[in-house]
Amino acid sequence: MHVVVAPEPDGGGTIRPAGQAATRVPDLAAAVRRLEAAGRPRWVWADTRRVYPRLLAAGVRVTRCHDIALTEGLLLAAEGRYGQPRSARAAYARLRGLPVPEDADEPGEPAEGEQQALFTPRPPDPIGVAEADLVAEVFEDQWRRIARTPHPGRFRLLVAAESAGALIAAEMRHHGMPWRQDVHDALLTELLGPRPAPGMRPARLQALADEISAAFGHPVNPDSPQQLLKAFKAAGIDLPSTRSHVLERVDHPAVKPLLEYKELSRLHSFYGWAWAAQWVRGGRFHPEYVVGGVVSGRWATSGGGALQIPKVMRRAVVADQGWTLVVADAAQLEPRVLAAMSGDAALARAAGEADLYSALAEAFGGSRESAKIAMLSAMYGGTSGDAPRLLAVMRQRFPRAYAFVEEAARAGEEGRVVRSWLGRTCPPPSQRWRELTAGPDGGRVARERGRFTRNFVVQATAAEWALTLLAVLRGLLPDPARLVFFQHDEVMVHCPLHQAERVRAAVERAAGEATRLLFGRTPVRFPMKAVAVRCYADAK
């Protein structure tokens, strides 16, 4: 059974069970809690980002939902309308032939100490339809549109996984990742020196800046690319940029301190004391995740940088006393996805082993490294070095897998769209792309898009497998274990020590269930190596 939920600013709202009239309740969180305990319905709401954080703040956790906005985005792309407004109101307006409103940013969870109503007020509604009625009508329309997709069963799984991801993202932000502020401060002090006064560089950065200036023989601001390029040019070195990979090829005494300065400066800017003051509270790191924030379906963040935590900073991620972190990641996920999608029997046999590249080595003269280069070149369109020779071997030994990515690349070069296994559709080419392909650089521009679509079909499906795993794992975890981190193919669970073995088993079971849900019976294995550690840095 599904139940439509429409929040109101005063903490109340409207609930509309399937086939019944809408009911106004004074305490929406309490009503959701009662219905969740009674029957675990599928909650249907306009946007998880607006509704669920407020339910979590009231101590309510739901089992499943249907996110109208996320689903509309998937359907619009599948229907050739990629990028159109995806809100429930926009979907309703399209359905009724009304002017379509632009999407507005939705509020997230309020910061600690903010005085807000349980549900944030919305601006006046120009459509003039009650939200519960609007959401119910759009939901029914979305269900009909899903039935018209090429593979409705797969697309329904995609919608369910995407919506579950929205729940998980909200929960991970709400609960937060364990973060020892004292360890973080000690790390910064060790690397940068004592916390500086506002507007001043930390001591280590200032010392490096002085060393850089001394190497040039005059003051140079290492934060200014223009000054650096000018200083190098005065020294007889003409550089296209000050990127690290460019500087590494330069022989000059300023290079070594400059590279160290750039690395430490980035750490200070993105994960320094100011970052901790904004994102860490109560011993927890609370980032803002964006479900499907990348076109392939991978997540992004709109604040906090959770998906790019430097290895050195992982030392600050420490389990609570008596608890542990269970960390797991999928080994060689994308090549295994390619094996399952393409139905290539030889590649599938290799993907049935724990180390896919070692299993492939025999086909490439016994070289595991050559096997890896061949697979990555096939998925990413690599053409340099040994790639052409190794791809010829792959074309001969694994013809269905090779043909699968080649067809995706050809579709991209011809301006067509491609889809993931469950039906996520890539963006169509822009008008500018079409203009460029008609010009003198048309071949190069077309090949670039071919490389994108070649990888899209694999990466997007890998993202779907990982998201399905996450959704299954969420349902298997014993209370009070909680998912606290997810990045592409890696998950982290914070749980009491006595639950570690149970959680490890749940991760393995979730990987198997995700594989079955996506690919049915397949010889391809998707191993998830899970370890229980006190500190995140010890997991790698």
Side-chain angles (χ1 to χ4, degrees), residues 1 32-43 63-64:
M1 182 182 74
V32 169
R33 182 186 290 109
R34 286 194 300 271
L35 286 172
E36 179 71 26
R40 296 168 53 173
R42 186 181 301 279
W43 302 99
T63 305
R64 55 186 185 163

Side-chain angles (χ1 to χ4, degrees), residues 126-394:
I127 293 177
V129 177
E131 184 172 323
D133 296 334
L134 178 152
V135 167
E137 189 167 336
V138 170
F139 173 68
E140 296 299 332
D141 178 63
Q142 288 184 341
W143 218 241
R144 289 190 294 268
R145 291 156 65 196
I146 290 171
R148 296 195 294 266
T149 60
H151 300 283
R154 294 183 190 175
F155 206 93
R156 280 191 287 270
L157 177 58
L158 174 59
V159 167
E162 193 91 332
S163 297
L167 295 177
I168 294 163
E171 289 168 356
M172 290 201 303
R173 186 184 181 202
H174 176 77
H175 297 296
M177 176 193 291
W179 193 277
R180 285 279 299 274
Q181 290 176 275
D182 58 334
V183 174
H184 180 231
D185 183 73
L187 282 170
L188 292 176
T189 302
E190 174 189 337
L191 295 168
L192 301 170
R195 183 172 186 170
M200 301 294 291
R201 289 192 181 106
R204 180 57 185 157
L205 286 181
Q206 186 57 55
L208 288 168
D210 293 342
E211 190 176 340
I212 292 164
S213 293
F216 284 119
H218 58 86
V220 176
N221 180 3
D223 296 315
S224 170
Q226 292 79 13
Q227 287 192 30
L228 288 169
L229 290 174
K230 184 177 179 181
F232 275 115
K233 189 170 185 178
I237 303 170
D238 201 358
L239 300 179
S241 74
T242 59
R243 294 182 179 274
S244 295
H245 72 274
V246 173
L247 293 172
E248 288 168 354
R249 299 194 294 266
V250 174
D251 183 16
H252 189 277
V255 168
K256 183 178 178 181
L258 180 55
L259 289 172
E260 184 179 353
Y261 181 94
K262 288 168 72 69
E263 182 179 352
L264 292 179
S265 179
R266 184 181 184 281
L267 188 72
H268 178 240
S269 297
F270 292 103
Y271 297 95
W273 290 279
W275 171 88
Q278 182 176 2
W279 297 105
V280 180
R281 58 183 187 275
R284 294 290 187 270
F285 168 34
H286 298 271
E288 295 179 6
Y289 294 98
V290 181
V291 177
V294 181
V295 294
S296 66
R298 284 183 168 185
W299 287 15
T301 58
S302 60
L307 302 181
Q308 296 176 322
I309 300 174
K311 288 185 177 180
V312 67
M313 286 292 106
R314 294 176 184 180
R315 289 156 59 185
V317 183
V318 181
D320 294 345
Q321 190 66 34
W323 288 54
T324 190
L325 301 170
V326 176
V327 183
D329 60 7
Q332 303 146 349
L333 177 57
E334 290 188 5
R336 295 176 193 278
V337 162
L338 175 57
M341 294 176 75
S342 65
D344 190 298
L347 185 57
R349 283 195 297 272
E353 302 297 325
D355 186 346
L356 179 147
Y357 295 134
S358 292
L360 291 176
E362 182 274 331
F364 295 91
S367 170
R368 183 184 184 278
E369 184 62 23
S370 293
K372 183 176 181 179
I373 292 172
M375 286 299 305
L376 296 179
S377 297
M379 293 186 296
Y380 289 92
T383 57
S384 60
D386 290 335
R389 175 180 62 83
L390 297 173
L391 285 173
V393 176
M394 184 167 180

